[in-house]
Amino acid sequence: MSLWGSKKKTDDEEPARDGEEQHEQQDEGRPSPRRAERPRRDPDERTRLLPPGDDGYLDPDDPAVSPYNLWPVRALRYISVLFLMISFIWWVLLFVAIFVSPPSMNTRGSGFFDFSYTTLTVGNLIIAILFFAIPSKVMEISQMVIALLLLIDMIIILAVERLRLEEGWVGIASVVWATVMAMYNVTTDRVVAWGKKEEEERLTGRKETRRSLREWCAVLTASVIMVVMIIITVLLTATLILRSRDASLEPEGKRYYVDGDKYQVHLACRGNITTDFEGRKKPTILIEAGEQPFEDTFSDFIYGAYRNGTIDRYCYWDRPGIAFSDNAPSPHSAGMSADALSEALAVAGEKGPWILVSNGIGGLYSRIFSSRHFRQVKALFLIDALHEDYLGEVGNPKRGFLLWARGIIAPLGIQRLPAALFKGRTREDRVYGTSVYQSGKYIKAQLQENLVANSLTKSEVGSARLIQSDQTPLVVISSGDEVRKSAEWEDKQRDLSTLTEKLVAWDVVNGAPHEVWRTEEGVRVIERRLVEVLEM
């Protein structure tokens, strides 16, 4: 083959190669079959308005830019949900304990503070979870303030012996858990803020300083809620400080453990044991107060009778939850209170004999006690006492709900704090005086009374009437005001005068209120009848 022939073949191949290159260039100008087959999507709110940059970073609003990309952040969220579940279970147990005390969960206080701290914890965790991915300085500072206040509460409860005994392990656990959860939320907020910063720098190239409208709304909502929670915590702390102040008030007499050392009741006696001419012990006046504590009602009258020689000796006690006595486990009936009094008297070495003096609803408690200790009871002395037919009003469901609602908000001190700051209410007023109705212990005692009035208490009073000794001397003194206002009240007072066959007297004191001894005529009548039964 000649050299020219070879050159010609090469010349023929070059045009072919040029053709192939032109064909490839044309292919590059057209989309590939795979790309051509991809369906085109209609524009929506996520469609980019501008093509992505060539720097390789994502847009700050891209959903992929999230602190949840980091496993520590995801783990903290799961832990927060777990803590919320635990707190909610504890909240349910405390809610039930207000009405029925679970084993080993009864507290010697009202139980409303425990419930308040747990409610605060549940709310705190819910807010932290709802706004988990949107950390803010306001949230962090708010959580720190709440944690600090709860830490102060925890220190107060642990440092003041009376509060520590009343709250028990349940109350201490509740406030400690609330404190730990508030501190945990502070840590969580910081970790999420760190994770958000890390992901923004990694995926967008810089830390994002702006917020969307949605994020600003979330921050504002969370801030308002946290301010409310701070106010609630401040009120809890202020009320706890008042309680610590009240705990320094020492009672006359002593507190005695009852019901298997579950709680203490206050019992006090004044005067000396005396005997008559035949060497027999004279009866001791045992007083059962009515709707209010003895110290705010009977105290002045009985002490006056003691000072003027009408009586030689008297004893009184505070029912569970009233004044200086602890709250009893729920449910708690009038018969259970009578048993607690019997136990306290036995522990104190008081053996009677007794003349039972009572007023209002205290008459029901005295009647139950008398029926169970009729050999020791020398007389039954009822001063405008409540008849058992009125237990329906005591156990009214509406009244029970209102008592429960008052108990729930009692730890906030909405009434107690202004009264202490602006009205000069003292610790005596709050423990047993005019402001006692505002305390959680008193409200809990009233709620317990309400819950069983139509069931346990009514049955116990009915049994007491059947087994009451017919030979027990009986005195009934009625309020003239109450009798004049209600014919039914007069009929019920007349019925009380038939409790035994040995009625000494039934007196209606004209112009006297429910607390008959508030008038001079009432004092005169009561003292005269006391002298009569003491000489029998």
Side-chain angles (χ1 to χ4, degrees):
M1 183 177 293
S2 66
L3 181 60
W4 293 104
S6 299
K7 182 173 177 33
K8 185 178 181 180
K9 184 178 180 180
T10 301
D11 292 338
D12 293 335
E13 291 176 354
E14 287 181 1
R17 188 177 298 112
D18 291 340
E20 291 175 359
E21 291 175 359
Q22 292 176 2
H23 182 70
E24 291 176 358
Q25 290 176 358
Q26 293 176 358
D27 289 342
E28 289 176 359
R30 296 193 306 269
S32 65
R34 178 174 300 177
R35 292 177 61 184
E37 293 173 0
R38 182 181 300 173
R40 296 187 62 182
R41 188 175 62 183
D42 294 331
D44 56 20
E45 69 275 6
R46 297 184 179 277
T47 303
R48 295 180 183 273
L49 299 179
L50 296 175
D54 295 333
D55 55 4
Y57 289 116
L58 297 177
D59 187 272
D61 294 329
D62 195 303
V65 183
S66 170
Y68 289 120
N69 295 336
L70 301 177
W71 71 265
V73 176
R74 296 196 303 272
L76 281 177
R77 183 174 174 84
Y78 293 139
I79 293 173
S80 297
V81 173
L82 176 62
F83 285 161
L84 177 60
M85 294 173 62
I86 294 172
S87 300
F88 181 74
I89 293 172
W90 184 246
W91 182 88
V92 171
L93 286 174
L94 293 180
F95 179 81
V96 172
I98 295 174
F99 305 97
V100 181
S101 301
S104 302
M105 280 193 64
N106 61 289
T107 61
R108 292 162 58 179
S110 66
F112 293 127
F113 258 86
D114 318 341
F115 186 76
S116 295
Y117 284 126
T118 306
T119 303
L120 183 67
T121 303
V122 171
N124 214 356
L125 287 170
I126 290 175
I127 297 304
I129 292 172
L130 288 177
F131 302 99
F132 189 85
I134 311 175
S136 66
K137 274 295 179 182
V138 176
M139 284 283 290
E140 182 180 337
I141 294 173
S142 299
Q143 294 284 8
M144 291 176 66
V145 171
I146 291 175
L148 178 61
L149 291 171
L150 289 174
L151 181 62
I152 293 173
D153 290 0
M154 182 178 70
I155 293 172
I156 292 174
I157 291 175
L158 293 175
V160 180
E161 181 183 9
R162 192 69 214 161
L163 296 185
R164 189 170 65 248
L165 292 174
E166 287 183 356
E167 296 302 322
W169 76 267
V170 175
I172 294 173
S174 298
V175 70
V176 169
W177 180 253
T179 306
V180 171
M181 287 299 97
M183 294 178 176
Y184 166 79
N185 285 339
V186 174
T187 303
T188 299
D189 197 76
R190 289 189 172 186
V191 171
V192 174
W194 164 82
K196 187 173 183 294
K197 173 178 172 294
E198 288 291 313
E199 286 301 283
E200 287 172 349
E201 291 179 348
R202 182 175 70 88
L203 298 176
T204 69
R206 62 184 176 85
K207 178 184 176 182
E208 186 62 35
T209 57
R210 65 180 179 84
R211 292 185 185 272
S212 65
L213 178 61
R214 174 179 172 275
E215 288 177 328
W216 276 118
C217 291
V219 171
L220 177 61
T221 303
S223 301
V224 172
I225 296 174
M226 292 308 298
V227 168
V228 173
M229 295 186 73
I230 289 175
I231 293 173
I232 290 173
T233 312
V234 168
L235 292 176
L236 285 173
T237 304
T239 306
L240 194 64
I241 293 173
L242 270 187
R243 284 184 62 196
S244 66
R245 168 66 178 159
D246 298 344
S248 64
L249 184 63
E250 289 296 326
E252 180 185 20
K254 292 180 61 177
R255 295 183 177 97
Y256 297 94
Y257 278 103
V258 295
D259 194 14
D261 294 345
K262 291 180 181 177
Y263 62 98
Q264 289 180 316
V265 294
H266 168 236
L267 173 67
C269 294
R270 177 174 288 185
N272 298 318
I273 298 175
T274 57
T275 58
D276 57 17
F277 295 109
E278 298 179 2
R280 297 176 301 183
K281 285 175 60 177
K282 287 186 177 181
T284 298
I285 307 298
L286 182 58
I287 302 166
E288 185 75 57
E291 293 73 22
Q292 300 297 315
F294 165 88
E295 295 86 348
D296 189 48
T297 52
F298 266 115
S299 179
D300 292 340
F301 161 69
I302 289 295
Y303 183 70
Y306 168 72
R307 293 286 295 175
N308 65 26
T310 302
I311 59 177
D312 295 323
R313 192 166 188 268
Y314 67 92
C315 294
Y316 68 92
W317 80 307
D318 296 318
R319 292 194 297 273
I322 306 297
F324 295 102
S325 292
D326 299 332
N327 285 103
S330 296
H332 188 79
S333 65
M336 295 175 185
S337 281
D339 291 340
L341 173 59
S342 302
E343 190 174 350
L345 290 170
V347 174
E350 299 289 343
K351 300 179 180 179
W354 309 108
I355 292 177
L356 303 183
V357 178
S358 57
N359 169 248
I361 197 170
L364 299 176
Y365 293 83
S366 286
R367 288 168 55 189
I368 295 173
F369 183 90
S370 174
S371 68
R372 297 178 181 182
H373 304 274
F374 59 88
R375 289 187 178 87
Q376 298 171 285
V377 175
K378 297 305 179 184
L380 193 57
F381 205 103
L382 304 178
I383 305 176
D384 210 41
L386 186 74
H387 193 277
E388 58 265 33
D389 288 350
Y390 286 100
L391 281 173
E393 296 180 8
V394 176
N396 183 280
K398 181 180 178 180
R399 178 174 180 266
F401 175 78
L402 293 176
L403 286 169
W404 173 82
R406 283 177 53 203
I408 294 299
I409 64 175
L412 301 180
I414 295 175
Q415 292 179 302
R416 301 181 79 186
L417 292 172
L421 293 174
F422 306 116
K423 296 182 179 180
R425 294 288 186 260
T426 64
R427 55 182 182 170
E428 289 81 5
D429 292 327
R430 293 188 294 271
V431 173
Y432 58 76
T434 55
S435 299
V436 67
Y437 71 94
Q438 301 167 357
S439 73
K441 284 175 53 181
Y442 181 85
I443 295 172
K444 176 67 174 294
Q446 296 289 299
L447 179 60
Q448 289 177 319
E449 197 173 67
N450 166 269
L451 292 173
V452 297
N454 283 321
S455 54
L456 294 178
T457 297
K458 190 171 185 178
S459 174
E460 291 162 348
V461 175
S463 298
R465 184 156 194 157
L466 292 175
I467 63 179
Q468 172 65 51
S469 172
D470 290 337
Q471 298 307 308
T472 301
L474 173 66
V475 174
V476 177
I477 299 177
S478 304
S479 159
D481 289 351
E482 298 295 328
V483 168
R484 187 176 65 255
K485 287 189 297 185
S486 171
E488 182 184 7
W489 185 266
E490 181 180 6
D491 292 340
K492 300 305 179 184
Q493 294 294 299
R494 181 178 293 105
D495 183 63
L496 289 176
S497 68
T498 64
L499 287 175
T500 73
E501 296 178 356
K502 203 170 182 180
L503 178 65
V504 176
W506 174 29
D507 297 306
V508 178
V509 183
N510 292 325
H514 176 58
E515 296 177 348
V516 179
W517 58 90
R518 298 295 186 185
T519 64
E520 292 184 5
E521 179 65 15
V523 170
R524 188 184 64 79
V525 171
I526 294 173
E527 288 185 349
R528 185 176 76 246
R529 298 306 182 191
L530 280 174
V531 171
E532 287 184 31
V533 295
L534 282 168
E535 292 177 350
M536 292 179 66

